[in-house]
Amino acid sequence: MEMIEKGLLEEMGLELNLKPWATDGGAHFWEVPKTAFRSVYDDQPNAHKKFMEKLDACIRNHDKEIEKMCNFHHQGFVDAITELLKVRTDAEKLKVQVTDTNRRFQDAGKEVIVQTEDIIRCRIQQRNITTVVEKLQLCLPVLEMYSKLKEQMSAKRYYSALKTMEQLENVYFPRVSQYRFCQLMIENLPKLREDIKEISMSDLKDFLESIRKHSDKIGETAMKQAQQQKLFSVILQKQNNVKFGKTVYINDRIPEERNEIVLKPVFEEEDENEEEVLTVQDLVDFSPVYQCLHIYSVLGDEETFENYYRKQRKKQARLVLQPQSNMHETVDGYRRYFTQIVGFFVVEDHILHVTQGLVTRAYTDELWNMALSKIIAVLRAHSSYCTDPDLVLELKNLIVIFADTLQGYGFPVNRLFDLLFEIRDQYNETLLKKWAGVFRDIFEEDNYSPIPIVNEEEYKTVISKFPFQDPDLEKQSFPKKLPMSQSVPHIYIQVKEFIYASLKFSESLHRSSTEIDDMLRKSTNLLLTRTLSSCLLNLIKKPHIGLTELVQIIINTTHLEQACKYLEDFITNITNISQETVHTTRLYGLSTFKDARHAAEGEIYTKLNQKIDEFVQLADYDWTMSEPDGRASGYLMDLINFLRSIFQVFTHLPGKVAQTACMSACQHLSTSLMQMLLDSELKQISMGAVQQFNLDVIQCELFANSEPVPGFQGDTLQLAFIDLRQLLDLFMVWDWSTYLADYGQPASKYLRVNPNTALTLLEKVHRGIKDTSKKNNIFAQFRKNDRDKQKLIETVVKQLRSLVNGMSQHT
C-alpha cells in the first residue's frame, strides 16, 4: 500500500475507493492499493507519461499554494523570531537558573534517591518477608507436627506417633507437597512405621519374657487372694453357725484346732493386715501389649499380631506345663508349678477382658483344656512317687487353692476335683503305710501286761484316752490294774488320729457331709481290716511273742472290739450323719478284731503244743528198765506245773478259749505220749518201762481231773487221755482175751484201742520180754514163765495180725 494525498489522486483522474491513512497539517493522505498504480500503467497507452505530466502539474500547484501560505505567514514568523531574540537573554538566564535549580535538585535528590532505594529495597524485603511468612505459616504446622512426631518417637509413644503420621499424610502434607522437605518427610514415614512396628514387637517380646519370669509371682498373688477370700468365707460361715446355734464338730478335740487343718494357709504371709492387696495390673505393665495391639491395628496388620501373640503364648504354656523332674520331692516344687500356671492364665484372662479380639474365650478354653490334660497327667505321675502323707496333703491343699483360684477366673476345674479323688486313694494308702509303722512301734513298745493304776488321776488319764467301763473295777481301791495293756489306748488314739488325718483330705473338696462321712468310714475300715489286722497277725506270728503275750493280745482285741462303737460315734460327731441313715457304712472292727483274736487263739494252741513238745523232747525213758521208779517222770511233772501256771493266766481269757486251749494241750500231750510209744525207732519196751509210762499217764489224768480250767462238764477233759488209758490198761492187766472177744462191740471195755496200735506196742513189749529173758536165763524158774508168756504173746500177735489183715481186706 502507498500513502498519497487524495486531491492529487483526483486530479490525476483516479476514482478509487480510498481509505484514510493519516493527516499531516490539514492534508489528508489515503491508502492507495498497489493495484491502483498498476492500473495507471496497464489501462491506457502512454498512461505513465500522462500520469507523470499530471503529477508534475499537481506538484507545481502545491508549490504555489505553499508559497502563498509562507507569504501569508512570513510576517508572523518574523515577529516570532523577533520575540524569540528578545526572550533569548531571559531564556539564558532561565537556563542558568534552571541548570542551577536542577543541580540543586540533583544534589538534594541524591539522599532522597538513596532513601527511596532503601525504601524500595525495604518494601521488596517486606514483600518477600510477607511471602515467606505466609509460606512459613503454611509450613510451620507441618514442621510442628513432624517435630511432635519425633518427640513421640523419642518418648516411645508409638501409637500417638502413628496417629500423627495419619494427620500429616491426610491434612498437612497436601498443603506443602511442592516443597522438597515435604517429599523427604513423606519418604521417611514408611521407615518410621517399620521402626515403630519393630520396636513395638521388641517391646512385646520383652513383655512376654517378663511375664514368663514373673508368672509365678502373679500366680502366687492370685492364689493368696483366693485363699484369703476362702478363709473369709469360712470364718463368716462359722460365725453364722455360732449365731444360729449350729455345731459342726462336737467331739472334744475337733472344734478349733482340727478346723485349722483345712484353713492353714498354703502361702505364708508376712503381715496380712498391712500387706496391700495387689492385682495383676500392679504386678505387670500391660502397656506393651496394648500399644503393640493398637499399633498393629492402625497399621492394618492386627491379624499378624494376634497370630504371633497366640503362638508365643502357646509356646510359653508348654514351658510352664513342663514340670521339674524332682517336683514330687518337696511341696515347693508343686507350689512353683501351680503358681506359674495360675500366673499364665491370670494374664490371659486379663488380656481377654481388656482387649478386643487379641484372645477369645474359645481360645482360652482350648488353651485351658490342653493345659488341664497336661496338668492332670503330670500330677498323676508325680503324685504316685509321694510316700509322705503330709506331702500328699499339702499337694491336695495346693490343688484345691489352684482350682478355686482358676475357677474364680471362669475356668472349669471339675476334672481337678475328680483327680483329687484319685489322690485321696493314694493319700489313704500313704496314711495306711504310715499308721502301719505307728502300730508296729506301739506293739514293739508294749509290755503286754495289764495297765497298773496307782491313783485316781492316772485312772482318769487312761479313761480320757480310751472308753473303758467296768463297774466292778471302779469299785476296787487303788492301786489296781486295767485288764488291757498300754497298746490299747495308744491304738485307739492313733485310730482317731487317722480319722483326723483322713478328714484333712476330705475337707474343701466341695462334697456333702454324707460323702465325707462315707469317705471317713471307708478309710477307717481299711485301717482296721487291712493295716491294723495285718499288724496284729504279724505280731501274733513273731517268735518272741509267748503265751502270756498272746493271752494279753486276745484281751486287748476284745477291748478294742468293744471300742469300735465309740469310733462310729466319733465319726458321727464329726460329720453329723446319723448311723441310722440307710447308706451309712458300718465299721468292720468287730470282724477285724475277731479274726485277730482267732489267729491269736490258734497261735496260743500252736505255741502251747510247741511248748509241750519241748518238754516231751526232754523225756529220757529207760525202755529196758525191769522195774518202774515208783514216781512220775521229772519232765512230765515240770510240764504239768507249767500247764498249771499257764492255765492260771488263761483265767482272763473268755471261758471257751481257755477250755479249748486246755483241751487242745491235753489232747496234744496224749498224742505225743502215744507217738512216743509207737515211735518206729523204738524197737522194744520192757514191762517196767510200760509201768513207768503208766505212772506218767496217771499224773496226766490227775492233772485233767484237777480242773485246771473251770467250765468242763464231768470228765470231759479226762477223755483226752482215754486212748492211752485203755491201751495201757490192756497191757497192765494183760486182758487180751477180753479185748479180742469184745472187739467191735459198742460196750467193749477197750473200745478206743486200735488193733494196729495194740499190735505195734505188743510186738515191742514182746521183744522187750525176750531181751529180758535172755538176761535172766540163769534162773530156771523164770524161763518157764517167760516161755509161757511169750507163747501167749505170740498167739495174741497172730490174732491181732489176723484182725488187722481182716480189717485191711474189709477196707
Side-chain angles (χ1 to χ4, degrees), residues 692-706:
Q692 180 64 42
F693 201 83
N694 184 56
L695 292 175
D696 292 344
V697 174
I698 291 173
Q699 289 297 323
C700 293
E701 291 172 332
L702 292 174
F703 169 73
N705 192 44
S706 66

Side-chain angles (χ1 to χ4, degrees), residues 29 95 113 215 323 370 483 500 540 594 670 685 689 709 712 744:
F29 295 90
K95 179 180 179 181
I113 290 172
S215 59
M370 180 272 292
Y500 286 138
I540 291 169
K594 186 176 294 184
S670 175
I685 302 176
V709 173
F712 286 105

Side-chain angles (χ1 to χ4, degrees), residues 134-381:
E134 291 175 354
K135 298 301 182 181
L136 286 176
Q137 287 177 345
L138 190 63
C139 295
L140 273 177
V142 180
L143 296 174
E144 289 175 355
M145 290 297 291
Y146 197 79
S147 176
K148 180 181 178 181
L149 172 62
K150 290 294 185 181
E151 292 177 357
Q152 290 170 341
M153 291 290 293
S154 299
K156 298 183 178 181
R157 296 165 53 201
Y158 301 116
Y159 179 74
S160 301
L162 288 174
K163 290 297 184 181
T164 303
M165 289 183 193
E166 288 185 355
Q167 288 183 326
L168 284 171
E169 289 178 328
N170 297 330
V171 179
Y172 293 96
F173 282 165
R175 300 175 185 174
V176 293
S177 58
Q178 68 274 22
Y179 299 112
R180 193 166 67 89
F181 78 88
C182 179
Q183 296 300 323
L184 294 175
M185 291 181 181
I186 292 174
E187 293 173 359
N188 194 37
L189 289 187
K191 182 178 180 301
L192 290 177
R193 283 194 173 94
E194 288 300 321
D195 291 343
I196 291 175
K197 200 172 182 180
E198 293 177 1
I199 293 172
S200 62
M201 184 56 70
S202 176
D203 291 344
L204 177 65
K205 292 178 180 178
D206 294 340
F207 167 78
L208 293 175
E209 181 65 21
S210 174
I211 60 174
R212 188 185 70 82
K213 293 180 179 179
H214 296 90
S215 59
D216 55 343
K217 179 63 176 177
I218 299 170
E220 182 179 352
T221 302
M223 292 178 75
K224 279 184 180 179
Q225 293 173 358
Q227 187 180 29
Q228 290 172 355
Q229 181 65 30
K230 186 174 182 179
L231 290 173
F232 176 77
S233 300
V234 172
I235 293 173
L236 184 62
Q237 182 180 5
K238 185 177 178 182
Q239 291 176 348
N240 291 335
N241 289 337
V242 173
K243 179 179 179 181
F244 293 102
K246 297 179 180 179
T247 303
V248 179
Y249 299 110
I250 303 174
N251 206 29
D252 49 351
R253 296 176 59 189
I254 295 178
E256 295 297 334
E257 61 206 51
R258 293 297 170 182
N259 198 31
E260 292 176 1
I261 60 179
V262 181
L263 305 181
K264 180 181 178 181
V266 178
F267 299 93
E268 298 296 335
E269 301 181 16
E270 295 180 357
D271 192 342
E272 295 181 358
N273 297 326
E274 296 181 2
E275 184 177 359
E276 182 181 359
V277 178
L278 299 177
T279 62
V280 65
Q281 295 93 332
D282 298 325
L283 298 172
V284 180
D285 180 16
F286 287 92
S287 58
V289 180
Y290 308 149
Q291 182 171 286
C292 197
L293 176 61
H294 293 158
I295 288 171
Y296 273 78
S297 299
V298 171
L299 295 175
D301 203 8
E302 184 176 0
E303 184 177 356
T304 300
F305 172 72
E306 291 176 0
N307 293 335
Y308 176 81
Y309 176 84
R310 295 181 183 183
K311 181 179 179 181
Q312 294 300 316
R313 289 297 280 166
K314 283 185 178 180
K315 288 183 179 180
Q316 290 187 347
R318 294 187 183 96
L319 291 176
V320 166
L321 294 171
Q322 190 66 31
Q324 296 180 354
S325 58
N326 61 343
M327 183 179 72
H328 60 277
E329 295 179 357
T330 62
V331 71
D332 290 335
Y334 287 108
R335 182 181 291 113
R336 180 174 176 80
Y337 182 69
F338 285 127
T339 55
Q340 286 181 339
I341 295 174
V342 171
F344 177 89
F345 282 100
V346 166
V347 170
E348 287 305 290
D349 181 77
H350 180 77
I351 294 294
L352 172 67
H353 287 89
V354 300
T355 60
Q356 296 180 352
L358 180 56
V359 295
T360 62
R361 174 56 67 181
Y363 162 78
T364 56
D365 289 344
E366 177 187 359
L367 197 61
W368 169 245
N369 289 331
M370 180 272 292
L372 188 57
S373 299
K374 178 67 175 179
I375 292 168
I376 291 175
V378 167
L379 292 178
R380 186 177 286 124

Side-chain angles (χ1 to χ4, degrees), residues 345-618:
F345 282 100
V346 166
V347 170
E348 287 305 290
D349 181 77
H350 180 77
I351 294 294
L352 172 67
H353 287 89
V354 300
T355 60
Q356 296 180 352
L358 180 56
V359 295
T360 62
R361 174 56 67 181
Y363 162 78
T364 56
D365 289 344
E366 177 187 359
L367 197 61
W368 169 245
N369 289 331
M370 180 272 292
L372 188 57
S373 299
K374 178 67 175 179
I375 292 168
I376 291 175
V378 167
L379 292 178
R380 186 177 286 124
H382 281 263
S383 63
S384 62
Y385 296 109
C386 295
T387 57
D388 182 7
D390 294 334
L391 180 58
V392 178
L393 181 62
E394 290 181 341
L395 172 60
K396 169 258 175 182
N397 291 333
L398 280 173
I399 293 176
V400 170
I401 297 298
F402 173 75
D404 290 343
T405 303
L406 289 176
Q407 190 175 35
Y409 285 91
F411 295 100
V413 294
N414 292 334
R415 291 174 62 189
L416 285 174
F417 284 101
D418 294 338
L419 174 66
L420 283 175
F421 281 98
E422 298 179 22
I423 298 178
R424 181 201 64 191
D425 296 336
Q426 180 184 347
Y427 175 72
N428 285 337
E429 289 298 324
T430 58
L431 283 181
L432 292 175
K433 291 180 181 178
K434 179 180 178 180
W435 256 258
V438 172
F439 290 148
R440 284 194 295 268
D441 293 341
I442 291 175
F443 291 142
E444 289 293 332
E445 296 171 1
D446 194 11
N447 56 7
Y448 298 99
S449 59
I451 302 175
I453 302 297
V454 178
N455 50 43
E456 182 73 20
E457 183 178 354
E458 289 186 4
Y459 181 77
K460 290 181 179 180
T461 301
V462 175
I463 297 303
S464 65
K465 296 178 180 178
F466 182 76
F468 175 76
Q469 295 179 354
D470 188 348
D472 295 334
L473 184 63
E474 290 179 358
K475 296 177 181 178
Q476 296 178 11
S477 59
F478 295 99
K480 53 188 175 182
K481 292 183 178 181
L482 299 181
M484 79 288 291
S485 65
Q486 289 287 352
S487 62
V488 172
H490 291 165
I491 290 174
Y492 182 80
I493 292 172
Q494 287 303 320
V495 172
K496 291 174 65 176
E497 290 295 330
F498 177 87
I499 296 173
Y500 286 138
S502 182
L503 177 64
K504 292 179 184 179
F505 198 96
S506 300
E507 292 290 348
S508 303
L509 294 185
H510 308 297
R511 298 293 171 178
S512 64
S513 298
T514 302
E515 291 175 306
I516 293 176
D517 181 85
D518 187 62
M519 293 177 193
L520 292 179
R521 291 179 184 274
K522 286 182 177 179
S523 60
T524 306
N525 277 332
L526 284 175
L527 178 72
L528 296 176
T529 59
R530 198 170 78 184
T531 305
L532 182 55
S533 176
S534 176
C535 290
L536 282 171
L537 292 177
N538 291 334
L539 174 67
I540 291 169
K541 296 294 183 181
K542 286 186 176 182
H544 70 275
I545 297 297
L547 292 170
T548 305
E549 287 81 1
L550 289 172
V551 171
Q552 188 62 55
I553 289 173
I554 292 176
I555 296 172
N556 290 348
T557 54
T558 303
H559 289 284
L560 287 173
E561 179 181 333
Q562 295 171 355
C564 283
K565 64 178 182 179
Y566 296 99
L567 290 175
E568 290 193 343
D569 294 339
F570 176 74
I571 295 175
T572 300
N573 291 337
I574 292 177
T575 60
N576 284 333
I577 300 300
S578 174
Q579 299 181 35
E580 283 71 25
T581 305
V582 176
H583 301 290
T584 300
T585 304
R586 302 298 178 185
L587 294 184
Y588 301 146
L590 297 178
S591 60
T592 298
F593 296 117
K594 186 176 294 184
D595 293 341
R597 189 160 53 252
H598 289 334
E601 292 170 2
E603 194 67 19
I604 285 177
Y605 306 150
T606 301
K607 286 186 178 296
L608 191 57
N609 292 341
Q610 290 175 352
K611 199 68 177 177
I612 291 173
D613 291 339
E614 292 176 4
F615 279 100
V616 171
Q617 289 176 1
L618 298 176

Side-chain angles (χ1 to χ4, degrees), residues 666-678 693-694 696-697 700-701 718-731 752-753 757 761:
C666 291
Q667 289 177 344
H668 184 73
L669 177 58
S670 175
T671 302
S672 298
L673 293 175
M674 181 69 76
Q675 290 175 350
M676 189 183 301
L677 287 176
L678 302 179
F693 201 83
N694 184 56
D696 292 344
V697 174
C700 293
E701 291 172 332
Q718 289 88 326
L719 291 177
F721 300 98
I722 189 63
D723 293 351
L724 271 176
R725 171 48 49 212
Q726 291 185 6
L727 179 62
L728 291 174
D729 285 349
L730 183 59
F731 280 88
R752 305 297 295 266
V753 178
T757 303
L761 185 58

Side-chain angles (χ1 to χ4, degrees), residues 122-138:
C122 288
R123 288 185 177 178
I124 292 173
Q125 291 176 352
Q126 186 178 7
R127 185 174 64 250
N128 290 340
I129 290 172
T130 301
T131 302
V132 170
V133 169
E134 291 175 354
K135 298 301 182 181
L136 286 176
Q137 287 177 345
L138 190 63

